[in-house]
Amino acid sequence: MAYSYSFSTAALFPRTASDSLKLVAQAGFQFAELMPQCFAESRESFALEAEKSGLRVASVHYPLAMFSLLYNASPGMAAEARSFGTGLVKLCSALQARVLVVHPHEPAKDPAYRELLEKPIRDNLKALGDECGAAGITLAVENNPKGPGRTAEGLLEYIRSLGAGPAAHPMVDTTEAVEAAQDPAEFIRAVNPWHTHLSDHKGEAKHIPAGQGENDWKAIRSALVDTGYSGVLTLEPLYRFYLDDPVTRLRGDLEFIRSLMEGAA
């Protein structure tokens, strides 16, 4: 099976998204995941700038900097989140990116206030799922070491409970699985993901470049093959590993994932 390899611009912070995409292309990747770092990079018009890199943006990650919009029960902020989400879906469409990544929200600590504090957030996620569905985009809900997405069963139930429509599907981040004391390969087998974030883990160090930590990458590969994974394989390590000499490091990452998936590792 032919696999497609991608690299997240989140790992090239604090560079601009434009500069990050160019570095990913220079290293030999054909695909990237865009993590906007500001409002300008989140707009539909940014697609014209992204095209200059020569890369195909296969996925867009809801900006971490804007999570306070999405996970906010204030009526005014919820309305802002709807508007922002609409813009992200338009950006995905302009880029021909088929995946928009989000994280599960953290549930209210006091169940007595769940309706008040969580319903607006769930409504926003549902609306985002509906917009993705209308645009032919997958809303990929990432596992998370906190809250309902920490286990495979919890993630699947969370997605079902959102009612975000047929566009919403699970994805697996290997480091987030380890942080939740879950085996990444077994997590993949349990949820049959539509999208992946691949990075390594060692002791307390997390989001290490893949192949430089303690993950069993042959087991992860086997899980991906056995479940028939056909999505883009996206490397998403921590930015501090790429502050110096990023292209050399990116080329090493591409060599690792190719060797792993194409049988040479």
Side-chain angles (χ1 to χ4, degrees):
M1 178 176 179
Y3 291 97
S4 298
Y5 310 114
S6 177
F7 195 88
S8 171
T9 64
L12 296 170
F13 175 87
R15 300 171 181 91
T16 67
S18 295
D19 288 344
S20 296
L21 289 171
K22 290 172 185 175
L23 289 172
V24 175
Q26 187 179 344
F29 284 89
Q30 293 182 317
F31 297 91
E33 178 166 291
L34 172 64
M35 168 74 85
Q37 299 290 350
C38 62
F39 289 113
E41 295 172 353
S42 306
R43 298 187 185 114
E44 182 181 8
S45 58
F46 182 73
L48 295 174
E49 186 65 28
E51 287 175 3
K52 296 177 183 178
S53 69
L55 274 176
R56 163 86 183 275
V57 175
S59 54
V60 174
H61 197 307
Y62 198 104
L64 293 181
M66 302 357 172
F67 272 179
S68 56
L69 284 172
L70 187 60
Y71 309 132
N72 195 307
S74 163
M77 191 63 83
E80 294 285 353
R82 296 279 183 98
S83 177
F84 184 76
T86 296
L88 279 180
V89 173
K90 288 181 178 179
L91 173 61
C92 288
S93 294
L95 291 166
Q96 297 185 342
R98 308 322 304 165
V99 174
L100 176 61
V101 176
V102 294
H103 293 186
H105 72 282
E106 292 189 32
K109 293 183 173 62
D110 188 341
Y113 296 104
R114 188 165 294 159
E115 182 74 7
L116 176 66
L117 298 177
E118 288 192 56
K119 188 175 185 303
I121 298 170
R122 287 180 170 273
D123 287 347
N124 277 346
L125 287 166
K126 182 181 185 305
L128 189 59
D130 290 342
E131 291 207 46
C132 284
I137 295 164
T138 295
L139 182 66
V141 184
E142 185 175 338
N143 58 309
N144 193 288
K146 297 179 181 179
R150 67 179 305 276
T151 66
E153 297 79 8
L155 180 63
L156 292 173
E157 177 54 35
Y158 176 82
I159 294 170
R160 282 192 291 267
S161 72
L162 281 179
H169 292 281
M171 63 162 289
V172 174
D173 182 302
T174 54
T175 286
E176 304 288 9
V178 174
E179 281 197 88
Q182 307 293 308
D183 180 274
E186 292 307 311
F187 210 114
I188 289 167
R189 292 182 187 278
V191 305
N192 195 10
W194 285 55
H195 190 60
T196 54
H197 283 165
L198 305 177
S199 62
D200 225 322
H201 197 282
K202 184 176 182 178
E204 296 299 314
K206 57 186 180 179
H207 291 291
I208 300 170
Q212 298 182 26
E214 298 172 343
N215 282 353
D216 185 343
W217 286 100
K218 289 185 178 180
I220 291 169
R221 178 190 185 276
S222 293
L224 291 166
V225 171
D226 291 347
T227 56
Y229 181 78
S230 59
V232 176
L233 294 162
T234 303
L235 300 174
E236 193 206 41
L238 191 63
Y239 74 92
R240 68 180 179 86
F241 295 103
Y242 300 86
L243 294 174
D244 297 316
D245 198 12
V247 173
T248 298
R249 296 173 187 272
L250 286 162
R251 285 174 176 158
D253 294 334
L254 181 56
E255 181 180 358
F256 170 79
I257 193 63
R258 274 183 175 157
S259 296
L260 175 74
M261 298 307 300
E262 296 170 18

